[in-house]
Amino acid sequence: MLGNFLIGLREGLEASLVVSILIAYLVKTNRRALLPRIWAGVGLAIVVSLAFGAVLTYGPKGLTFEAQELIGGSLSIVAVGMVTWMILWMATAGRTLARGLRSQVDAAGESWWALPLVGTLSVGREGLETALFIWAATRAAGRDGQSTTQPLLGALLGLAVAVVVGWLIYRGTLRVNLSKFFAWTGGFLVIIAAGVLAYGIHDLQEARFLPGLNTLAYDVSDVIAPSSVLGTLLKGVFNFSPAATVLETIAWWTYVLVVTPLFVSRLRRYHTSVTPTPATTASATPQAVGDPS
Amino acid sequence: MIRKTTALLAVGAFALTGCTENNAAPAAGDARHLAVTATDDSCQVAAATAPSGTVTFSVTNSGNKVNEFYVLGSDGLRIIGEVENIGPGLSRDLVLSLAPGEYFSACKPGMVGEGIRAPFSVIDSGEQVGPAGDDKQFVDQASTAYAGYVKDQTDQLLAKTQKFVTAVKAGKDDEARTLYPDARMHWERIETVAESFGDLDPRMDAREADLEKGQAFTGWHRLEKDLWPARATGYTAMTSAERAKIADTLLADTKTLHQRTRTMSFTADEISNGAKGLLDEVAAGKVTGEEEYWSRTDLYDFQGNIDGARVAWEGLRPLLKKKDATLDGQIDKEFANLQQLLDAQKQGAGFVTYDKLSKEQVKDLSDAVNALSEPLSKMTAAVLK
């Protein structure tokens, strides 16, 4: 029961964190109108994942191991690209928003697909693996004999707790003021995205599209067992792996060291430009919102 | 927009090419559908072998920890396939397209460590494995298999040389005479690889008749002469100190060879040419009775060379069958023919001495070697085609 619960929790956390921050951002900036798009993206990811999982489990054809890892790995890396763009865009948008140009931001109407896509990728990234897991649990629950519905229940409970944690984070972030919100959630997202990138690299190594799967940078599995609650939380939130390859570790650090300064400099620009010259707000242009392409 | 399109295209492409057959419900006794029972401290695979082709592992986790199941290559490192997140009480399938060869199965309870491993063999069912045109996979598999074979043979060579050297130094000549041809077979099986080390080969395997001026007579054949002095007229036996020195050097060189073969890798043409090279060795020394001039144990070496050539060919077989099935058939036939002639000379676990062979028998063996050598020499061109 606990094992299945932890799997559900881990996979669920990986998906719900980015989505909850995304929603908090829209709510805080008074753009609830865009929420249905996020939900549509999340819903699409869930439906596609479940359909994919069902077909792969019960259908005549399954994905090869390499293909599964390739899809997972590539989606992770694309998701990192999207989340990175979002982090930087939020930092920039935060500047214009603080200048009281909310209406203009809305009018700028960022590409219609950008927000739902971030939602879709964040959920879909882990969706296939989670769906395969859920169908295995369903099958176990449907088996005759002494088997029970416990595995399925455990997994669903884990997912439910992950959603609750996501909701709590959403509630928590709503309370902080806007500039702190951008600084904290942005910083948090940088760490999450770095983890997702490292994990994606690991998947590609497993599929042998990248070398070095057995060249470990460190292995602390003795201290932080991946099946423990702590291991689950660290993995679920930060994609922390207790045994990481050198390439994974390099990717993680490179990402953090490149994106953090970019993010910080954008936040600074907001502080330095806003405080001394509040009168220039009107000169902010819609382009400052940033076009994702 | 570009980013999204590329991503979708990429995913679409993988989805198209990355499909594998999902087996229908397993028929009872289906050799390609293996139940795996994993617990927190055990990993029971229903069978240790399966026929090549699509193989399904139905992994059931009966333990309390989350488990993972892996199929690893013969090097124990390469992941051929895995299923993660097998929660307690759950069952998940791993469907793989497996080519003939040696593998490992492994469960990883708690998702940590090396896992509980067991060797797993895939036997050639004659079925085409892998998508057509995917030659690289065949070559990779042949390379891994051959490197594994070389490692295994040097492991055994080292172990048996150690015993041989101990017997020689202890003056247990009868025991040494029994161990000698047996240990050397492992050398002969990988002779083309061993010979590739120009510093070791002359020290370890030079025959007295082939010595160049000023070259010391050491290694296997030096000890051979001392153990079987019957054909050496006017020979003075070595002192035990001389013997020990030769024996120790042989062992040290064997260790160096062992060390160097740990990380070797082979290309398809290296493997293929190696097979031909081993046949040439047979023709040049063994079938003529020159290799083991003192001990007359040439047929052991003969068998060793043939074994090595056969393993090389078998590794390349999936590829060769695809490229030139006729040639593969010829090689198959000639190997069988040659082995039949050799089997006729078996005596106990080994072979009769070379001097027991009649002229006709030597000629028959020699003809069979040539008959195999001919199609085998075409193999490289065929697999590289």
Side-chain angles (χ1 to χ4, degrees):
Chain A
M1 181 80 172
L2 180 66
N4 295 313
F5 169 79
L6 289 178
I7 295 175
L9 177 64
R10 188 183 73 213
E11 305 289 334
L13 278 179
E14 289 184 21
S16 69
L17 286 178
V18 174
V19 175
S20 62
I21 290 175
L22 205 60
I23 292 172
Y25 167 71
L26 290 182
V27 170
K28 278 185 85 75
T29 55
N30 271 347
R31 289 187 289 161
R32 286 175 175 271
L34 293 176
L35 285 181
R37 290 191 196 170
I38 306 274
W39 288 121
V42 170
L44 180 73
I46 293 176
V47 169
V48 168
S49 295
L50 284 178
F52 230 147
V55 169
L56 294 181
T57 308
Y58 299 109
K61 295 248 180 192
L63 275 187
T64 59
F65 156 71
E66 274 93 351
Q68 208 171 309
E69 297 296 303
L70 248 177
I71 293 177
S74 315
L75 271 186
S76 293
I77 290 169
V78 176
V80 170
M82 294 301 298
V83 171
T84 309
W85 159 77
M86 196 179 86
I87 296 166
L88 300 178
W89 171 60
M90 275 167 66
T92 322
R95 176 163 52 119
T96 50
L97 285 164
R99 291 173 184 177
L101 288 176
R102 280 183 190 149
S103 57
Q104 284 201 21
V105 172
D106 282 342
E110 54 282 316
S111 310
W112 64 270
W113 53 268
L115 286 177
L117 190 61
V118 175
T120 309
L121 284 173
S122 304
V123 175
R125 189 170 60 78
E126 284 304 305
L128 182 59
E129 180 64 18
T130 312
L132 287 170
F133 175 77
I134 286 179
W135 290 123
T138 316
R139 195 155 55 173
R143 256 193 326 233
D144 298 327
Q146 83 273 46
S147 71
T148 63
T149 50
Q150 278 213 356
L152 183 60
L153 210 66
L156 292 178
L157 218 62
L159 281 173
V161 170
V163 172
V164 171
V165 171
W167 181 75
L168 287 175
I169 287 183
Y170 161 75
R171 297 294 298 176
T173 48
L174 282 192
R175 280 190 209 108
V176 298
N177 75 43
L178 205 56
S179 66
K180 270 198 184 145
F181 173 84
F182 286 123
W184 281 105
T185 55
F188 187 54
L189 283 175
V190 170
I191 306 291
I192 291 184
V196 175
L197 177 67
Y199 183 66
I201 299 273
H202 188 86
D203 270 354
L204 294 182
Q205 285 183 311
E206 286 193 332
R208 273 178 282 136
F209 282 89
L210 289 176
L213 177 63
N214 297 293
T215 319
L216 289 188
Y218 60 88
D219 186 348
V220 293
S221 353
D222 292 344
V223 190
I224 307 166
S227 52
S228 66
V229 177
L230 177 63
T232 300
L233 289 177
L234 284 175
K235 168 88 181 158
V237 177
F238 299 114
N239 259 302
F240 170 79
S241 164
T245 66
V246 170
L247 202 60
E248 257 181 281
T249 313
I250 292 175
W252 194 92
W253 280 105
T254 310
Y255 181 86
V256 169
L257 293 178
V258 168
V259 176
T260 308
L262 280 176
F263 174 69
V264 170
S265 76
R266 292 201 177 204
L267 279 184
R268 280 226 186 97
R269 232 177 349 184
Y270 148 63
H271 279 298
T272 49
S273 64
V274 168
T275 322
T277 55
T280 60
T281 44
S283 70
T285 55
Q287 289 97 298
V289 174
D291 189 280
S293 56
Chain B
M1 203 58 203
I2 287 167
R3 212 164 7 187
K4 180 196 174 193
T5 317
T6 336
L8 289 180
L9 280 178
V11 169
F14 300 142
L16 285 178
T17 57
C19 281
T20 186
E21 294 293 328
N22 257 0
N23 277 8
D30 182 353
R32 288 217 175 93
H33 199 118
L34 303 164
V36 180
T37 309
T39 68
D40 293 353
D41 48 18
S42 76
C43 186
Q44 295 292 327
V45 184
T49 59
S52 58
T54 303
V55 180
T56 303
F57 297 87
S58 285
V59 190
T60 304
N61 181 359
S62 316
N64 295 313
K65 293 179 183 167
V66 177
N67 221 314
E68 297 176 340
F69 179 76
Y70 290 80
V71 172
L72 303 162
S74 60
D75 58 359
L77 297 175
R78 206 160 59 99
I79 300 178
I80 310 293
E82 63 166 353
V83 266
E84 295 168 322
N85 279 346
I86 313 170
L90 293 192
S91 176
R92 291 191 56 181
D93 289 354
L94 175 62
V95 185
L96 291 173
S97 196
L98 291 177
E102 296 302 317
Y103 300 86
F104 285 100
S105 60
C107 299
K108 220 186 255 192
M111 302 178 282
V112 280
E114 290 274 278
I116 304 162
R117 296 184 175 203
F120 187 82
S121 305
V122 174
I123 295 145
D124 194 353
S125 63
E127 192 173 300
Q128 180 85 39
V129 173
D134 196 0
D135 292 355
K136 191 182 173 301
Q137 195 187 337
F138 291 133
V139 172
D140 283 351
Q141 254 150 6
S143 172
T144 313
Y146 197 68
Y149 179 73
V150 169
K151 274 165 82 174
D152 179 49
Q153 289 304 318
T154 44
D155 281 346
Q156 297 191 52
L157 174 69
L158 181 58
K160 289 185 177 172
T161 306
Q162 192 116 39
K163 273 184 158 175
F164 172 71
V165 162
T166 311
V168 165
K169 286 168 75 178
K172 294 178 181 164
D173 287 12
D174 282 340
E175 195 186 329
R177 279 191 278 263
T178 317
L179 290 168
Y180 176 83
D182 188 31
R184 275 188 56 80
M185 270 186 88
H186 300 291
W187 167 280
E188 297 294 335
R189 281 183 182 145
I190 53 156
E191 190 169 9
T192 46
V193 176
E195 280 180 354
S196 66
F197 302 112
D199 53 339
L200 295 179
D201 182 54
R203 283 215 303 272
M204 295 174 77
D205 198 38
R207 282 177 293 147
E208 191 171 18
D210 297 341
L211 290 179
E212 285 160 34
K213 219 179 162 206
Q215 196 182 346
F217 183 30
T218 58
W220 283 104
H221 296 297
R222 181 72 192 91
L223 294 170
E224 178 203 359
K225 188 177 182 183
D226 207 51
L227 288 167
W228 282 277
R231 299 179 82 195
T233 40
Y235 174 74
T236 321
M238 284 193 275
T239 65
S240 55
E242 281 168 334
R243 255 197 185 198
K245 194 173 160 238
I246 300 278
D248 285 338
T249 312
L250 176 64
L251 185 57
D253 285 341
T254 309
K255 281 179 182 160
T256 310
L257 174 69
H258 182 265
Q259 186 60 38
R260 288 184 192 171
T261 51
R262 294 303 90 184
T263 51
M264 290 186 87
S265 61
F266 301 91
T267 60
D269 54 321
E270 280 170 347
I271 298 170
S272 179
N273 289 331
K276 176 66 170 64
L278 287 168
L279 253 287
D280 293 342
E281 296 284 343
V282 176
K286 282 77 175 185
V287 82
T288 57
E290 290 165 71
E291 178 77 9
E292 307 287 354
Y293 182 82
W294 315 107
S295 66
R296 321 303 314 251
T297 55
D298 303 85
L299 289 186
Y300 289 79
D301 295 16
F302 195 140
Q303 181 70 60
N305 284 162
I306 299 300
D307 287 346
R310 192 197 291 107
V311 167
W313 161 65
E314 278 171 351
L316 290 169
R317 246 189 131 173
L319 186 56
L320 182 61
K321 271 185 187 164
K322 199 181 116 191
K323 302 272 185 161
D324 190 341
T326 318
L327 182 63
D328 181 69
Q330 266 178 310
I331 295 174
D332 192 13
K333 191 178 124 238
E334 297 302 342
F335 260 123
N337 181 36
L338 180 56
Q339 190 57 54
Q340 203 181 355
L341 289 176
L342 268 174
D343 285 347
Q345 304 307 327
K346 278 223 164 106
Q347 191 181 63
F351 290 92
V352 299
T353 50
Y354 188 80
D355 52 335
K356 296 277 177 8
L357 296 178
S358 69
K359 271 192 176 157
E360 287 74 40
Q361 283 168 333
V362 171
K363 183 168 185 306
D364 286 348
L365 281 167
S366 177
D367 288 348
V369 168
N370 291 334
L372 172 59
S373 207
E374 200 269 328
L376 211 52
S377 65
K378 295 179 186 159
M379 182 160 73
T380 310
V383 294
L384 294 182
K385 193 160 61 180

